[in-house]
Amino acid sequence: SIADAEAHITALTASIEEGTASIARLNTEIKNLETEKAKNQEALDKATALRKEELAEFNAEEKDVLQSIGALKSAVTVLGKHHEALLQVPAMTLLNVAVAVDKTVRVHDRIAGAKKLSPTQRKHLMSFLQAPSDFFDAEPTFKQSYAPQSGAIFGILKQMKETFESNLSSSQKEEMQSQAAYDDLKAAKESEIQAGSDQKDTKTQELADTDEKLAQAKQDLEIGRASCRERV
């Protein structure tokens, strides 16, 4: 009987040591999971903030480009009537065209990159913006329905419009790619965060069960030792 009690005490002692080690391990693993989850959440939060910033910048740039394209289309249409239909363009209409085009120049300078206007083109454009009616006062050259200066402006505006349209197409594709990349990152991080949470829940429950078993083993050990002392 005493031998059996001592064997039981030995088994309980080994169980307590194992339980204590398991608790230490589980606490470390839970802490590591919490740290990893926090890192993943931080990475996701940073990526989300960056995506919002990039999207806001894209939307603002897209709005400027769309407005510039619209202004240049109107300008080309107005000047095209003079070119093709030999219509006299009213001075006020030309002034309105110049004001609209002036706004597009600053946007064009910002986005054009290698397609920026040459010094000669810029000189023509600035002269037109300062006195648009002057470009329609000169007599056309032989076999031309428009003055040479107005023809230069017409070509510059068409080139600017094409640059804006090309830039818009490229930036929209880049935005779609950026959004797709963010969506993939978001899905991956959310999956990692959820997996970490699930593991933490599992290990937390395992820790609670181990704590309970350890407490019971310690209680049984005290009872076993007391029983041995009484029998001795």
Side-chain angles (χ1 to χ4, degrees), residues 9 11 26 32 36 53 75 92 106 111 124 163-164 177 180 182 186:
I9 289 172
L26 288 168
N32 290 338
E36 189 64 26
E53 182 179 337
M92 184 55 68
R106 292 186 291 274
I111 71 163
H124 277 298
T163 299
F164 277 124
Q177 292 171 351
Y182 167 74
K186 182 173 183 287

Side-chain angles (χ1 to χ4, degrees), residues 146-179:
Y146 53 87
Q149 287 181 309
S150 63
I153 293 302
F154 188 73
I156 292 170
L157 297 183
K158 289 183 68 175
Q159 177 185 321
M160 290 175 63
K161 184 173 76 69
E162 291 170 359
T163 299
F164 277 124
E165 290 170 341
S166 175
N167 178 272
L168 178 63
S169 176
S170 297
S171 62
Q172 287 175 335
K173 289 178 182 177
E174 290 174 2
E175 166 57 25
M176 290 178 63
Q177 292 171 351
S178 295
Q179 184 62 47

